[in-house]
Amino acid sequence: MLIAVIPPKPSKGLTEALLVAGVTWRPAHDPSDDWDEAGVLLVELGDDPEGHLASARRIYERSGLPAVAVADRAAAATLETAGFLMDFMFNPPDPVELRLRLRRLADGADETEVLRFKDLEMNTATYQARLDGVPLDMAYMEYELLRFFVQHPGRVWSREQLLSRVWGYDYFGGARTVDVHVRRLRAKLGEQRARWISTVRSVGYRFG
């Protein structure tokens, strides 16, 4: 697996992680380079997040390579504005995680594993969700509930039905569990998109 890396001289931590992960890489200098052999574009935000993201965006727009970022937690807000990124990791990257994420992006996601509703995209293979290109941070059951809703738009579901279908028949939690997760989902979808999940009085919830 060959990947293109920005900046040309990545940090010692990333260089070592790439070496341990067994990943072959070369620096990405110019958008006009031929990147046919590369599988992924990896950008380390480092001390110039805006500049490195701008360089990555130019290469992405030219090559169409799936792009992933490595960032310090302090630069997390910058990631929210980079809709072309397919994934990200925080520094220092774990070599095993790095190899798995790069391999998954290089292989490409099966379209049958991607669910879409308006500007929401859910990759059920990687358990990632993106809203207008921005990654959503969701707990496992929040993701499962949203996936169920997206797979069944327009239908009204009672809380008991949702508990049974999403949490499973052996789950002993009460209906309030559903209300709590719906409230969290609405918050993460944002004020405008929260309307996607409507409350049907005395019954339950409807998506779409």
Side-chain angles (χ1 to χ4, degrees):
M1 174 172 50
L2 173 65
I3 67 170
V5 176
I6 293 173
K9 294 183 178 179
S11 68
K12 181 180 178 181
L14 178 56
T15 303
E16 291 179 350
L18 288 167
L19 178 64
V20 174
V23 175
T24 303
W25 65 277
R26 62 186 174 104
H29 292 288
D30 191 327
S32 63
D33 285 350
D34 184 0
W35 293 104
D36 287 347
E37 296 180 0
V40 178
L41 174 62
L42 178 65
V43 52
E44 183 179 38
L45 303 194
D47 57 1
D48 185 15
E50 298 293 343
H52 293 165
L53 279 175
S55 298
R57 184 186 295 276
R58 286 194 293 271
I59 292 178
Y60 164 78
E61 291 175 347
R62 175 107 181 171
S63 66
L65 286 174
V68 58
V70 175
D72 296 331
R73 290 187 179 276
T78 309
L79 299 172
E80 297 181 2
T81 61
F84 68 99
L85 292 175
M86 295 292 292
D87 204 349
F88 69 93
M89 287 167 283
F90 285 125
N91 257 325
D94 177 84
V96 175
E97 180 185 8
L98 179 65
R99 183 177 66 251
L100 290 174
R101 290 181 183 271
L102 291 175
R103 171 56 64 191
R104 191 179 296 276
L105 287 175
D107 291 344
D110 187 337
E111 278 300 300
T112 62
E113 296 174 326
V114 178
L115 300 174
R116 292 186 176 85
F117 179 82
K118 298 185 179 178
D119 59 352
L120 171 68
E121 182 177 288
M122 304 184 73
N123 187 318
T124 59
T126 62
Y127 270 76
Q128 294 172 321
R130 302 167 69 86
L131 195 59
D132 194 22
V134 179
L136 279 178
D137 182 17
M138 289 191 293
Y140 175 74
M141 290 311 302
E142 293 168 2
Y143 187 95
E144 288 292 288
L145 180 58
L146 184 58
R147 175 165 74 167
F148 184 81
F149 278 142
V150 172
Q151 290 174 319
H152 303 88
R155 175 171 170 172
V156 178
W157 297 92
S158 70
R159 293 170 176 80
E160 290 74 21
Q161 287 175 318
L162 290 170
L163 282 173
S164 174
R165 299 289 296 271
V166 179
W167 276 261
Y169 288 99
D170 296 332
Y171 185 76
F172 294 102
R176 177 168 167 71
T177 298
V178 177
D179 296 336
V180 169
H181 281 73
V182 166
R183 184 168 65 248
R184 291 173 180 168
L185 277 184
R186 283 171 169 162
K188 291 182 178 180
L189 291 172
E191 183 177 355
Q192 184 176 359
R193 298 179 182 87
R195 303 172 195 165
W196 292 351
I197 307 174
S198 56
T199 302
V200 181
R201 185 172 298 179
S202 302
V203 182
Y205 295 101
R206 176 175 52 220
F207 182 84

